[in-house]
Amino acid sequence: MARPGPLPGLVALTLANTLSQFFRIAMGLVAPELARDLSLEPAALGTLSAAWFLAFALAQPVVGMALDRLGPRRSVAGLFLLAGLGCVLLATARSEARAVLAQVAIGLGCAPVYMGTLVVVARFWPAERFATLSAILLAIAATGSILGATPLALLVEAVGWRGAFLVFAALVLAAAAGVFLLVRDAPEGRPPPARGERPSDVVRGMVEVLRLRPLWPILPMLFATYAVVMAVRGLWAGPYLAEMHGLEPVPRGHALLSISLAMIGGLLGFAALERRLDRRKTPVLAATAVAVAGLLLLAARPELAAPWATLLLSAVVAGSVTYSLLMAQGRLFLPDRLVGRGLALLNMASFLGAASLQTLTGLVVAAAPVEPPAARWAGLFAFLALWLGLAVLPYTRSADPRTSAASRR
């Protein structure tokens, strides 16, 4: 029987990545209810959310090795089963420690999904289509953030947040099976580049990636921008809208849905710009300026009416989803034999940033006075603006060659 082409496997990986996107932002909706049930303070809530991102980030070097040596099929399908186990652990958690363990398991399970998708794209499609395809696939997968808005709110109302995570455990198992059955690791007759490498060769390859100087000014932006998206959409937007505007789960879900749609719109918009301009640096700088402006406005007026606050939060997220552009910019400097490890290490920078910022923002919110609430949120938004502003400084010195020029090197 003929083996399927790469497209069915790409679809299966994108469905798995949709669930991965859901897990990283689901806390933004259920945080108030989960914090109440488990008696979590803001700092503990930040730690709980950070556990997912820290586990995800620390797994990236191993993920990169596995993708290059074992291929996306076995790496993604095998590890993704951990995410299903984590869902069950979270649904049955009665303590902060067990909830953190559940988040670690889900983060580890999701760690290879998007990188596996990028490796498949890099191996089966030409380099000049990498940025566009990766951005479009990420935008499709970002519908997982829509699942984490109104649909999750309705599911939580129907079966509670614990029952909702049991439902998603079943979805994870189905997605893992789809990846195992449909994904191809490399084109016919062409083994994965690192299939014959020894472990020592793999480690040397990772060190070689870290020595690529053109990547250095890109890393701070990867560390900062995605972290802001996850801090806003993935954690604090829900509590902010609940406390400052009294929104219950379903109207809160509607507001988060608007923010998620802005995120998807940003991803698709950046893909179109990159395809038209063959440039990444200028759109990243312009979008970051929009995000910083939105954060400063929220810091100055955290008591804005809910529709206006939601609009500004949407602008912040849309201006910070430059991940695919930054990954594409970094991809231009990676030799083919190091694509898996290189992309995984770039991804690691993004998720270490997200883990760090989740923890730091939890401390910022916890350290603020209880009254007035507006002061706590003003401090949070000002801190996020500073975080982005500092990352821009080294990035202004980054190189951004044309795709055609980079492919000839």
Side-chain angles (χ1 to χ4, degrees):
M1 185 174 67
R3 297 178 65 190
L7 191 56
L10 198 59
V11 171
L13 285 166
T14 301
L15 291 175
N17 195 32
T18 300
L19 290 172
S20 175
Q21 294 285 332
F22 163 82
F23 290 126
R24 66 192 67 177
I25 56 84
M27 200 64 61
L29 185 124
V30 302
E33 289 73 28
L34 190 146
R36 183 191 61 231
D37 287 0
L38 300 183
S39 302
L40 301 180
E41 297 297 326
L45 196 59
T47 299
L48 180 61
S49 186
W52 191 100
F53 293 96
L54 186 60
F56 190 107
L58 294 180
Q60 290 307 303
V62 177
V63 163
M65 295 182 201
L67 290 172
D68 281 338
R69 289 179 61 81
L70 301 178
R73 175 174 166 267
R74 285 179 289 174
S75 301
V76 174
L79 276 175
F80 202 43
L81 294 175
L82 276 177
L85 173 63
C87 288
V88 175
L89 288 174
L90 187 59
T92 56
R94 301 293 174 184
S95 66
E96 178 186 346
R98 179 147 178 174
V100 168
L101 178 63
Q103 284 284 83
V104 168
I106 297 173
L108 289 174
C110 293
V113 178
Y114 188 55
M115 287 300 97
T117 306
L118 293 187
V119 169
V120 168
V121 170
R123 289 178 181 169
F124 283 92
W125 279 270
E128 59 268 21
R129 297 183 63 188
F130 181 84
T132 299
L133 276 174
S134 61
I136 291 172
L137 292 172
L138 186 58
I140 294 171
T143 55
S145 65
I146 294 176
L147 290 177
T150 303
L152 178 59
L154 294 171
L155 186 60
V156 168
E157 280 207 339
V159 299
W161 69 267
R162 296 180 186 276
F165 275 93
L166 290 176
V167 171
F168 278 92
L171 293 175
V172 166
L173 295 178
V179 169
F180 186 78
L181 294 172
L182 296 174
V183 169
R184 290 178 57 193
D185 290 327
E188 196 72 37
R190 179 179 144 197
R195 178 61 59 83
E197 287 187 335
R198 297 168 298 180
S200 59
D201 296 325
V202 173
V203 173
R204 278 195 293 271
M206 293 175 61
V207 173
E208 187 177 345
V209 171
L210 290 173
R211 287 177 175 169
L212 293 172
R213 293 179 68 89
L215 296 180
W216 294 358
I218 301 172
L219 291 173
M221 283 297 283
L222 281 167
F223 190 80
T225 53
Y226 188 68
V228 169
V229 175
M230 290 298 101
V232 172
R233 174 59 187 89
L235 181 58
W236 295 114
Y240 162 70
L241 293 168
E243 181 172 29
M244 288 299 299
H245 303 292
L247 298 188
E248 294 297 322
V250 172
R252 195 162 69 235
H254 295 334
L256 294 176
L257 176 60
S258 299
I259 299 171
S260 297
L261 291 174
M263 179 172 69
I264 295 170
L267 288 167
L268 292 174
F270 292 136
L273 276 176
E274 200 276 342
R275 185 170 61 250
R276 178 179 293 271
L277 302 176
D278 194 15
R279 283 286 183 257
R280 292 138 292 271
K281 182 176 176 179
T282 299
V284 167
L285 290 173
T288 304
V290 170
V292 170
L295 287 166
L296 291 175
L297 285 171
L298 284 165
R301 296 286 306 278
E303 73 284 356
L304 278 173
W308 289 107
T310 300
L311 181 63
L312 286 176
L313 290 170
S314 298
V316 170
V317 168
S320 300
V321 288
T322 51
Y323 170 88
S324 60
L325 289 179
L326 293 166
M327 291 290 286
Q329 188 177 355
R331 167 69 179 91
L332 295 176
F333 304 106
L334 296 173
D336 287 344
R337 63 189 175 82
L338 298 177
V339 165
R341 277 155 291 185
L343 293 177
L345 286 170
L346 292 175
N347 200 42
M348 182 179 180
S350 290
F351 283 84
L352 281 176
S356 301
L357 192 57
Q358 301 281 16
T359 302
L360 289 172
T361 52
L363 295 173
V364 168
V365 172
V370 177
E371 296 293 340
R376 174 164 60 254
W377 299 110
L380 172 67
F381 294 131
F383 178 78
L384 292 176
L386 177 64
W387 173 274
L388 275 180
L390 291 175
V392 166
L393 297 178
Y395 182 70
T396 58
R397 298 191 294 274
S398 66
D400 185 21
R402 298 276 184 179
T403 304
S404 56
S407 64
R408 289 196 298 269
R409 292 185 307 142

